[in-house]
Amino acid sequence: MTRIHPTYHTPYVAIVVYACVVATLAISSSFTQLAILANVAALTLYLMCVAASFELQRRDIRADGTPFAVPGGPAIPIAAAIVILWLLSNATRREFLVEAAVLGAASMLYSIRKAGGQR
């Protein structure tokens, strides 16, 4: 069950859990390592967004009205993906493994909650 703070209307339990995970990583690693992990996670998210935008354009998916047309068509998302992959190529195997573990744990928790009928 999702908990929303009655006064601030924020997901306070999620914020506390996130803060604990970040604090644990900050204590167990150097700041540099934490910054690198954050960058790897952000770049992976950006790569997924680029892939989604490419696929939505390819399928001509529309939500409301005429979608924004990127000048250059698919060249911009492809170029962005290439740059992101180049940046990610500098990450180490350990950084990818940590990111995979976090994503796996989050996916497992989501699946358990979904199976239990909670949001």
Side-chain angles (χ1 to χ4, degrees):
M1 181 172 174
T2 306
R3 301 233 171 31
I4 303 295
H5 194 276
T7 304
Y8 302 110
H9 305 291
T10 57
Y12 68 96
V13 174
I15 292 170
V16 169
V17 169
Y18 179 77
C20 289
V21 169
V22 170
T24 302
L25 284 173
I27 291 168
S28 66
S29 300
S30 68
F31 176 77
T32 304
Q33 193 65 24
L34 184 60
I36 291 170
L37 288 172
N39 286 331
V40 168
L43 286 169
T44 302
L45 178 64
Y46 294 156
L47 183 61
M48 295 300 109
C49 291
V50 166
S53 72
F54 179 81
E55 185 63 16
L56 289 171
Q57 269 189 334
R58 188 185 71 76
R59 291 185 184 182
D60 197 29
I61 303 295
R62 300 164 186 256
D64 261 343
T66 305
F68 173 72
V70 177
I76 301 297
I78 290 170
I82 290 169
V83 169
I84 292 169
L85 288 170
W86 175 74
L87 290 169
L88 284 172
S89 71
N90 294 310
T92 65
R93 182 181 181 108
R94 178 182 180 269
E95 291 153 359
F96 282 117
L97 289 174
V98 169
E99 182 182 358
V102 169
L103 288 173
S107 297
M108 188 170 30
L109 180 60
Y110 173 79
S111 297
I112 290 168
R113 291 180 62 111
K114 183 122 173 131
Q118 297 176 338
R119 290 204 275 157

